[in-house]
Amino acid sequence: MSSALILGASGDIGHAVAEEMAQNGWSLYLHYHENADAANELADELSAKYPRQDFFTVAGDLRDVNSAQTIANQLFSLDAVIVAAGMTYYELFRDASVDHMTALMRVHLLTPMALLNLVQDKLAESGRGRIVFIGSVYGASGSAMEVTYSTVKGAQSAFAKAYAQEVASLGLTVNVVAPGAVATKMNKEFGKEALEEVKASIPAGRFATASDIAYFVESLVDARASYVTGQTLYVTGGWLR
Ligand SMILES: NC(=O)c1ccc[n+]([C@@H]2O[C@H](COP(=O)([O-])OP(=O)(O)OC[C@H]3O[C@@H](n4cnc5c(N)ncnc54)[C@H](OP(=O)(O)O)[C@@H]3O)[C@@H](O)[C@H]2O)c1
């Protein structure tokens, strides 16, 4: 049975990815930071629905790079890692503190990289290891008011491109699914008017659902998807790309 770690399983996109992967037979390590209830409820829901699979919860604040080791210590066999944890600060770069920049770099990039460094051998043992980052179209287009966020999202794609080359011979693929605007709680601080304005600029005429994104994550972790690596797939409804 295949096992995957989903960083940010307590979030909306992570939750949808967990449902999609569980439906396809995966056992899951469901990571959370503050929202233990969301992770525990998801684990209970999936255990009831798929009693032959295992669902564990794993806590960790990715702003702390040491959490990579704490999380890695709790994993047994591992075939995939999905990096779906993240947050943003909506502010001019001129006003951004080094604390904010550090937090964004650690949560989206540095701690996941430290974790992958620790679990590479486990993923290689699988013979069909899969790594998928949830990136962002902003990593390609950039976005005012989210300069550091755009920077780390672009860096996720750069990391995938380079790391994919090192580990392809181990049967490991490394890819990024980069959404446009998704209707999740990450966007809850924006008012109705601002959200309507974004919606009007999306060619598809709507925000993505978390399940629109999860569909492509599941496709990339499928055993048959062994020949796509180092890529960033933009799932944007035609927005910005
Ligand atoms: N929503 C969008 O429009 C959009 C667009 C492009 C890309 N994305 C990317 O998609 C990913 C998931 O976002 P989402 O929309 O699903 O947001 P969400 O519902 O707010 O979920 C965010 C997830 O990240 C976790 N997290 C936040 N801070 C953390 C920290 N310090 N340490 C560890 N985990 C932390 C949260 O854990 P707890 O809740 O347990 O604290 C939660 O699981 C992010 O990387 C985001 O950048 C989102």
Side-chain angles (χ1 to χ4, degrees):
M1 190 186 299
S2 300
S3 301
L5 166 68
I6 302 179
L7 293 176
S10 51
D12 291 336
I13 293 174
H15 182 114
V17 169
E19 286 187 328
E20 191 87 31
M21 290 182 73
Q23 194 183 356
N24 284 286
W26 289 80
S27 285
L28 299 171
Y29 296 99
L30 303 164
H31 160 266
Y32 66 93
H33 171 220
E34 288 179 328
N35 206 341
D37 286 352
N40 287 327
E41 280 165 27
L42 180 60
D44 290 348
E45 171 204 317
L46 296 177
S47 300
K49 221 164 162 185
Y50 309 104
R52 293 176 175 207
Q53 297 156 230
D54 296 319
F55 300 97
F56 304 107
T57 59
V58 185
D61 180 354
L62 302 182
R63 287 173 302 183
D64 174 4
V65 181
N66 295 321
S67 65
Q69 183 72 65
T70 315
I71 293 169
N73 288 345
Q74 296 171 67
L75 310 172
F76 300 102
S77 74
L78 193 68
D79 305 278
V81 176
I82 315 300
V83 182
M87 78 301 182
T88 190
Y89 300 105
Y90 196 67
E91 60 195 3
L92 285 170
F93 183 66
R94 170 74 182 74
D95 300 330
S97 63
V98 171
D99 277 356
H100 278 187
M101 294 180 219
T102 305
L104 287 166
M105 289 192 181
R106 286 185 177 172
V107 170
H108 292 266
L109 198 62
L110 187 57
T111 309
M113 283 170 66
L115 177 68
L116 292 171
N117 176 278
L118 292 167
V119 301
Q120 176 178 313
D121 291 350
K122 269 193 193 341
L123 289 171
E125 269 168 38
S126 153
R128 47 140 305 181
R130 298 281 183 268
I131 299 166
V132 181
F133 282 82
I134 306 299
S136 168
V137 71
Y138 286 175
S141 67
S143 177
M145 301 295 285
E146 293 184 77
V147 172
T148 308
Y149 177 83
S150 301
T151 303
V152 296
K153 288 308 198 184
Q156 288 179 331
S157 293
F159 172 77
K161 225 192 265 187
Y163 188 45
Q165 295 176 35
E166 269 194 21
V167 293
S169 62
L170 305 173
L172 246 155
T173 70
V174 191
N175 291 291
V176 178
V177 172
V182 192
T184 73
K185 57 180 174 296
M186 194 170 151
N187 293 317
K188 70 176 185 301
E189 69 176 274
F190 296 105
K192 197 165 180 269
E193 212 171 292
L195 292 175
E196 282 301 320
E197 216 172 284
V198 173
K199 191 170 120 184
S201 66
I202 301 172
R206 64 173 180 87
F207 278 62
T209 62
S211 146
D212 287 328
I213 308 306
Y215 170 76
F216 289 100
V217 176
E218 171 54 30
S219 307
L220 287 168
V221 299
D222 191 278
R224 288 164 296 175
S226 59
Y227 210 61
V228 175
T229 194
Q231 303 302 306
T232 297
L233 178 63
Y234 294 96
V235 184
T236 66
W239 191 53
L240 298 179
R241 287 289 288 181

